[in-house]
């Protein structure tokens, strides 16, 4: 694949101009190719400056389908005058390039991501995590308490934010969980207001990486971390994959939020290869009744051992396969994330692909990791952190009761978040799981029931929260679909919101829904909530029922 890479680069420079060298081979990763950013250097190396990494919040974390967007710039780099360079010309250039050149760029980018994720301490951490599966619940609880005591102690000593508002410090591991309850709850707004005061003094600024979440409020949050924390995070995802029977080198088909194919493209291929990761990247924005058979054919030809997808993306494909009476797509497992997985959608996917679906929940804030076992029950990974389920009075809910997820993470000591309110709801399991897992169970994760947008040509667009990562001057926002060809963006603006920010936001959404949909922008004082007080990122009367295949 890469043997003639230099020759290919020279020929493309001759055909497309010198920007090709900047797009494909810029060793500092300064030039964004996608709306979320672009491929950095083909040579793996640790960053020597602060890189911005946009990632979505909610049921995905830094390891699921959507996180292929990480290690890229949150927004265009600044010019010498301090104004952002518009990324549209680079996106447009990428979409005009031949498919094999796009795949070369994606594969070079993938090589660097692979090193960042699986290099360094990844294997050592993974080995220990697999040992934890054979430990008893009591042993894991004792280990969790010791980790919590260490976290609370160092947070008070090293993090400016917690020196100002910390709760008590445990005297021993035995009272750590009880002491935690005396610490104040932490909201996303608290973290946004505190900014870098949440970062530990123990880490050199030049070694830090910056992640940006999207989330259901549509307002970005900066989370600071480092390479070792990311490798620890991916070790948890790798453990989940191994439990599902999938290995790191297996072929993976991924449906995610990146715009890898021009939005106005009407003929396949709607997918690109990432050879470095043995991966087929499939566009989530070109799924329609007219294109489903092409997607199925591509999956049959690629033969993935695992499909990593948003439920909404895979549902329509699964329904078509069932209607056709089957296909040759036979993965070992399907892993879903980022959206609430209903029992009906799970059953359809499992019937279509003749394998189990493993859903999981995580966050870009790296505070919680919840995985699903072969019996279908969710399990809280207590070696990742502490998870509380609280009622409206701040008290722990009982078995079978629903509560808000409040989490304290162990794996990112750069920016420890203690008792962080996730904004999602879950139901505590009524009893032990028959799978034998030592981790405590959850009956269901009930939050984040966002609708999808349906376009005039029948495409179903889910997971649009990446559009809000392109600007950081939104307080909150939602997308309301009032007709198949008309969408309204309702936004509460923060100080500093500019016309360029609005242009960028509208462009990001247009890339996903296509030119046939008219987008309007409305500034509002407040975005309406549901009866339960939740903000829905998408409101659409057209996306509530399964699509007709």
């Amino acid at each position: 694949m890469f043997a003639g890479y230099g020759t290919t680069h020279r020929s493309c420079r001759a055909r497309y101009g010198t920007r090709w060298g900047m797009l494909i081979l810029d060793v500092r990763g300064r030039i964004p190719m996608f709306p979320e950013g672009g491929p950095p250097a083909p040579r793996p190396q640790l960053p020597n400056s602060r890189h911005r990494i946009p990632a979505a919040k909610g049921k995905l974390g830094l390891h699921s389908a959507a996180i292929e967007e990480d290690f890229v710039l949150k927004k265009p780099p600044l010019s010498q005058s301090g104004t952002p360079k518009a990324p549209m010309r680079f996106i447009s250039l990428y979409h005009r390039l031949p498919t094999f050149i796009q795949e070369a760029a994606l594969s070079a980018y993938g090589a660097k991501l692979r090193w960042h994720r699986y290099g360094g301490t990844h294997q050592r951490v993974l080995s220990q995590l697999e040992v934890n599966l054979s430990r008893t619940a009591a042993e894991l609880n004792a280990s969790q308490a010791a980790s919590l005591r260490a976290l609370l102690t160092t947070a008070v000593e090293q993090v400016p934010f917690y020196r100002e508002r910390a709760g008590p410090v445990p005297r021993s591991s035995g009272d750590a969980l009880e002491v935690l309850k005396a610490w104040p709850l932490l909201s996303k707004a608290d973290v946004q207001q505190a900014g870098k005061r949440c970062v530990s003094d123990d880490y050199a600024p030049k070694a830090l990486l910056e992640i940006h979440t999207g989330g259901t409020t549509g307002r970005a949050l900066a989370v600071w971390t480092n390479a070792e924390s990311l490798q620890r995070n991916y070790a948890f995802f790798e453990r989940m994959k191994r439990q599902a029977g999938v290995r790191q080198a297996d072929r993976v088909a991924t449906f995610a939020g990146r715009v890898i194919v021009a939005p106005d493209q009407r003929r396949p291929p709607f997918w690109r290869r990432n050879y470095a990761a043995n991966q087929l990247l499939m566009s989530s924005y070109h799924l329609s009744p007219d294109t489903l058979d092409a997607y199925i054919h591509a999956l049959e030809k690629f033969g993935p051992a695992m499909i990593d997808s948003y439920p909404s993306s895979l549902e329509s494909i699964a329904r078509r396969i069932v209607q056709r009476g089957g296909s040759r797509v036979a993965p070992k497992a399907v892993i879903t994330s980022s959206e609430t997985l209903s029992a009906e959608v799970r059953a359809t996917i499992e019937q279509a692909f003749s394998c189990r679906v493993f859903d999981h929940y995580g966050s870009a804030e790296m505070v919680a990791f919840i995985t699903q076992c072969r019996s279908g029950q969710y399990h809280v990974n207590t070696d990742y952190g502490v998870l509380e389920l609280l009622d409206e009075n701040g008290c722990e809910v009982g078995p079978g009761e629903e509560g808000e997820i409040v989490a304290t993470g162990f794996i990112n000591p750069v920016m420890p978040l203690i008792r962080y309110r996730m904004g999602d709801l879950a139901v505590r399991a009524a009893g032990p799981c028959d799978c034998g897992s030592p981790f405590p169970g959850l009956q269901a994760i009930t939050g984040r029931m966002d609708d999808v947008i349906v376009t005039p040509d029948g495409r179903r667009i889910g997971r649009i929260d990446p559009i809000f990562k392109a600007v950081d001057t939104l307080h909150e926002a939602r997308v309301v679909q009032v007709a198949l060809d008309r969408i309204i963006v309702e936004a509460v603006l923060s100080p500093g919101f500019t016309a360029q920010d609005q242009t960028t936001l509208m462009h990001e959404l247009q890339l996903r829904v296509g030119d046939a949909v008219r987008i309007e922008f409305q500034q509002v004082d407040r975005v309406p909530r549901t009866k339960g007080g939740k903000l829905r990122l998408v409101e659409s009367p057209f996306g509530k029922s399964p699509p007709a295949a």
Side-chain angles (χ1 to χ4, degrees):
M1 163 75 194
F2 294 100
Y5 193 72
T7 302
T8 300
H9 173 234
R10 287 191 294 271
S11 64
C12 287
R13 284 185 59 185
R15 180 175 178 182
Y16 296 101
T18 57
R19 283 203 185 103
W20 251 113
M22 299 168 68
L23 279 168
I24 303 297
L25 297 177
D26 179 6
V27 298
R28 286 162 290 186
R30 296 175 300 177
I31 307 299
M33 179 181 292
F34 308 111
E36 297 84 7
R43 295 195 303 269
Q45 61 183 18
L46 276 174
N48 55 13
S49 62
R50 294 186 177 186
H51 293 254
R52 289 180 174 179
I53 310 170
K57 178 190 171 191
K59 295 179 62 181
L60 67 134
L62 284 175
H63 27 65
S64 64
I67 205 56
E68 301 301 331
E69 300 162 0
D70 63 5
F71 284 102
V72 291
L73 295 177
K74 176 179 125 342
K75 58 183 180 180
L78 299 180
S79 66
Q80 291 183 351
S81 65
T83 57
K85 296 179 181 178
M88 287 66 156
R89 65 181 183 276
F90 298 109
I91 301 166
S92 177
L93 174 59
Y94 166 79
H95 286 153
R96 292 200 306 269
L97 295 171
T99 298
F100 80 97
I101 296 298
Q102 293 177 350
E103 291 183 337
L106 290 169
S107 298
Y109 180 36
K112 183 167 186 175
L113 284 182
R114 190 175 183 84
W115 187 88
H116 274 287
R117 295 170 177 175
Y118 303 112
T121 63
H122 172 88
Q123 191 57 47
R124 176 179 59 79
V125 174
L126 177 60
S127 297
Q128 180 57 54
L129 293 181
E130 292 198 298
V131 170
N132 288 350
L133 295 176
S134 61
R135 300 173 71 185
T136 65
E139 290 173 333
L140 288 173
N141 290 341
S143 177
Q144 181 192 53
S147 297
L148 178 60
R149 178 175 183 266
L151 173 68
L152 298 181
T153 302
T154 56
V156 172
E157 294 173 349
Q158 300 174 0
V159 181
F161 177 72
Y162 291 117
R163 285 199 290 265
E164 301 168 4
R165 59 164 276 169
V169 176
R171 297 178 181 178
S172 66
S173 298
D175 66 349
L177 289 170
E178 193 63 32
V179 166
L180 177 65
K181 298 177 183 179
W183 281 57
L185 296 178
L186 182 66
S187 69
K188 181 176 180 179
D190 293 332
V191 180
Q192 287 170 322
Q193 183 176 2
K196 294 180 183 176
R197 290 189 296 117
C198 290
V199 177
S200 170
D201 294 333
D202 201 39
Y203 294 88
K206 289 186 178 181
L208 301 186
L209 306 170
E210 185 182 358
I211 297 165
H212 281 78
T213 72
T216 55
T217 65
R219 185 181 179 188
L221 171 68
V223 178
W224 295 92
T225 186
N226 62 6
E228 288 187 359
S229 295
L230 293 179
Q231 290 157 7
R232 282 193 291 269
N233 202 42
Y234 270 94
F236 279 87
F237 185 57
E238 188 66 23
R239 180 174 69 177
M240 175 192 175
K241 287 168 56 181
R242 291 190 177 188
Q243 289 182 281
V246 179
R247 293 289 171 169
Q248 186 176 317
D250 285 344
R251 289 191 164 205
V252 178
T254 302
F255 292 82
R258 72 193 65 76
V259 185
I260 58 170
V261 177
D264 58 352
Q265 182 173 318
R266 292 294 176 260
R267 300 177 62 183
F270 305 114
W271 42 85
R272 297 292 184 265
R273 285 292 303 272
N274 171 8
Y275 290 93
N278 206 9
Q279 181 183 43
L280 184 66
L281 300 170
M282 310 198 81
S283 171
S284 295
Y285 303 113
H286 293 76
L287 289 163
S288 72
D290 294 333
T291 63
L292 292 178
D293 289 332
Y295 275 90
I296 295 170
H297 178 72
L299 287 169
E300 290 177 331
K301 184 176 179 181
F302 181 66
M306 181 183 97
I307 299 177
D308 188 6
S309 177
Y310 307 139
S312 63
S313 296
L314 205 54
E315 178 189 5
S316 55
I317 292 178
R319 291 184 181 278
R320 175 60 62 87
I321 289 176
V322 171
Q323 287 184 345
R324 288 176 24 169
S327 72
R328 299 193 307 275
V329 186
K332 299 176 184 177
V334 170
I335 291 182
T336 58
S337 62
S338 306
E339 299 167 345
T340 302
L341 177 66
S342 69
E344 294 75 17
V345 172
R346 170 191 294 280
T348 300
I349 295 174
E350 290 185 340
Q351 179 183 359
F353 297 104
S354 300
C355 68
R356 291 187 180 274
V357 174
F358 296 85
D359 193 33
H360 75 288
Y361 176 101
S363 72
E365 293 94 331
M366 290 182 281
V367 291
F369 192 57
I370 304 169
T371 55
Q372 205 166 35
C373 68
R374 290 186 173 273
S375 298
Q377 181 163 290
Y378 290 96
H379 291 276
V380 179
N381 289 219
T382 55
D383 45 1
Y384 193 96
V386 177
L387 187 140
E388 304 171 74
L389 290 183
L390 305 183
D391 62 19
E392 58 185 11
N393 297 316
C395 300
E396 283 277 354
V397 302
E401 296 179 343
E402 183 182 69
E404 179 185 2
I405 296 176
V406 174
T408 301
F410 295 156
I411 72 164
N412 184 27
V414 175
M415 185 175 173
L417 299 180
I418 299 169
R419 302 200 82 195
Y420 182 76
R421 303 181 68 172
M422 293 294 299
D424 288 319
L425 301 174
V427 179
R428 193 179 301 281
C433 181
D434 58 12
C435 74
S437 171
F439 296 124
L442 297 179
Q443 181 177 314
I445 300 173
T446 55
R448 301 257 148 81
M449 297 289 289
D450 285 335
D451 292 330
V452 297
I453 294 172
V454 180
T455 63
D457 57 359
R459 293 181 296 124
R460 294 172 63 83
I461 310 299
R463 289 304 300 171
I464 66 162
D465 67 284
I467 71 171
F468 297 113
K469 301 171 201 167
V471 298
D472 54 11
T473 49
L474 284 176
H475 175 68
E476 58 187 22
R478 72 169 181 170
V479 176
V480 181
Q481 184 172 22
V482 296
L484 287 176
D485 61 351
R486 182 174 171 232
I487 288 173
I488 299 174
V489 178
E490 297 179 344
V492 180
L493 308 184
S494 297
F497 187 87
T498 66
Q500 178 61 46
D501 289 335
Q502 179 176 333
T503 299
T504 299
L505 186 65
M506 303 287 274
H507 176 76
E508 294 285 335
L509 183 54
Q510 199 81 67
L511 277 174
R512 288 159 172 80
V513 301
D515 294 334
V517 179
R518 184 170 78 257
I519 303 174
E520 301 173 13
F521 185 88
Q522 290 184 0
Q523 180 179 351
V524 297
D525 295 329
R526 185 178 183 274
V527 175
R529 262 60 175 176
T530 65
K531 292 181 179 179
K534 298 278 289 183
L535 186 153
R536 297 176 68 94
L537 187 62
V538 176
E539 290 283 351
S540 172
F542 309 99
K544 296 181 182 296
S545 59

